[in-house]
Amino acid sequence: MSKNKVISDAVIKRLPRYYRMLKILENEGTVRVSSGSLADMLNITASQVRQDFSNFGEFGQQGYGYTVSSLKAEIAGILGLDKPHDMIIIGCGNIGTALAHYKGFTDDGFTVRAAFDVNPQVAAGLPEEVAFYTMDRLSEYVESHNVDIAIIATQKEVALSVAEQLKSIGVNRIWNFAPTDISLSDSELVVENINMSDSLFVLSYKIK
């Protein structure tokens, strides 16, 4: 893939779906899969599958399909899942604590190493393998530890200031669960805003 090629957000959002399905197929012992079969599993068209993959190179063979393990490895590389990622959590309320306990991250190389909060009493709710620090230790921790991704799970009133603090100490990848969108003007900063209410509202619309 050319470094200058712009991949649409729609294609990027489908890549995790391909990856999850290929993990399932690999665990089931499936050796190869056709674009048609993969499309049926994901409720899209075979041409869409082939078009999506063509953005990144030629992964399959005509008449043979895709080797499941190889395609999974290719997509893992595209998504950056071929190397481990160390994460920290800022805010240890219900969402932050739940994320700290979630074991599914580790399967794909994402490990929560530490959690931060202004209230030291919340440390009791964290798993033993996640180190706890008060917020005044954040800069010190980042200076001496690798931090690939910071998860913000604070109240909305402080989310932006936390993001700005993270940016100032060199943490440029933020996964935001605070109930407000974070947008900072910095080309090196990448923020993924997760708004659970929006998803719930869409579900409510579909029910209606």
Side-chain angles (χ1 to χ4, degrees), residues 143-208:
E143 287 179 4
S144 57
H145 295 79
N146 179 60
V147 177
D148 297 305
I149 298 170
I151 299 172
I152 295 180
T154 64
Q155 295 179 348
K156 65 180 180 180
E157 292 80 8
V158 299
L160 180 58
S161 63
V162 168
E164 290 173 337
Q165 181 181 0
L166 289 166
K167 172 186 169 184
S168 70
I169 59 179
V171 179
N172 295 320
R173 305 292 181 264
I174 295 174
W175 199 17
N176 175 39
F177 282 82
T180 183
D181 284 354
I182 292 175
S183 178
L184 296 174
S185 56
D186 188 328
S187 60
E188 294 185 357
L189 185 70
V190 178
V191 180
E192 181 71 13
N193 292 298
I194 306 298
N195 194 311
M196 290 183 284
S197 292
D198 285 0
S199 182
L200 186 60
F201 295 162
V202 170
L203 177 61
S204 176
Y205 170 80
K206 291 180 178 179
I207 294 171
K208 182 178 75 70

Side-chain angles (χ1 to χ4, degrees), residues 52-146:
D52 286 348
F53 292 165
S54 69
N55 286 285
F56 306 98
E58 297 296 330
F59 299 147
Q61 299 177 13
Q62 189 172 4
Y64 178 86
Y66 305 98
T67 301
V68 170
S69 59
S70 297
L71 182 58
K72 173 176 164 285
E74 291 280 2
I75 294 177
I78 294 167
L79 292 172
L81 303 179
D82 53 345
K83 58 183 179 180
H85 298 279
D86 294 329
M87 304 194 298
I88 60 173
I89 295 174
I90 314 296
C92 300
N94 292 334
I95 293 176
T97 300
L99 291 170
H101 279 277
Y102 180 61
K103 303 298 183 184
F105 296 139
T106 308
D107 293 341
D108 292 313
F110 297 87
T111 303
V112 176
R113 301 293 186 185
F116 297 80
D117 199 283
V118 294
N119 180 10
Q121 294 182 352
V122 300
L126 296 172
E128 292 183 0
E129 64 271 18
V130 176
F132 175 80
Y133 302 89
T134 50
M135 282 297 294
D136 58 335
R137 302 281 303 279
L138 179 60
S139 296
E140 175 188 341
Y141 180 91
V142 171
E143 287 179 4
S144 57
H145 295 79
N146 179 60

Side-chain angles (χ1 to χ4, degrees), residues 33-42 44-47 49-50 66:
V33 63
S34 67
S35 57
S37 296
L38 196 55
D40 289 342
M41 296 169 193
L42 297 173
I44 55 179
T45 65
S47 61
V49 172
R50 292 190 294 269
Y66 305 98

Side-chain angles (χ1 to χ4, degrees), residues 19-51:
Y19 181 76
R20 288 196 304 270
M21 183 54 65
L22 289 165
K23 279 184 68 176
I24 292 171
L25 292 172
E26 187 177 56
N27 290 336
E28 292 175 346
T30 303
V31 176
R32 66 176 183 262
V33 63
S34 67
S35 57
S37 296
L38 196 55
D40 289 342
M41 296 169 193
L42 297 173
N43 197 30
I44 55 179
T45 65
S47 61
Q48 182 70 74
V49 172
R50 292 190 294 269
Q51 183 178 343

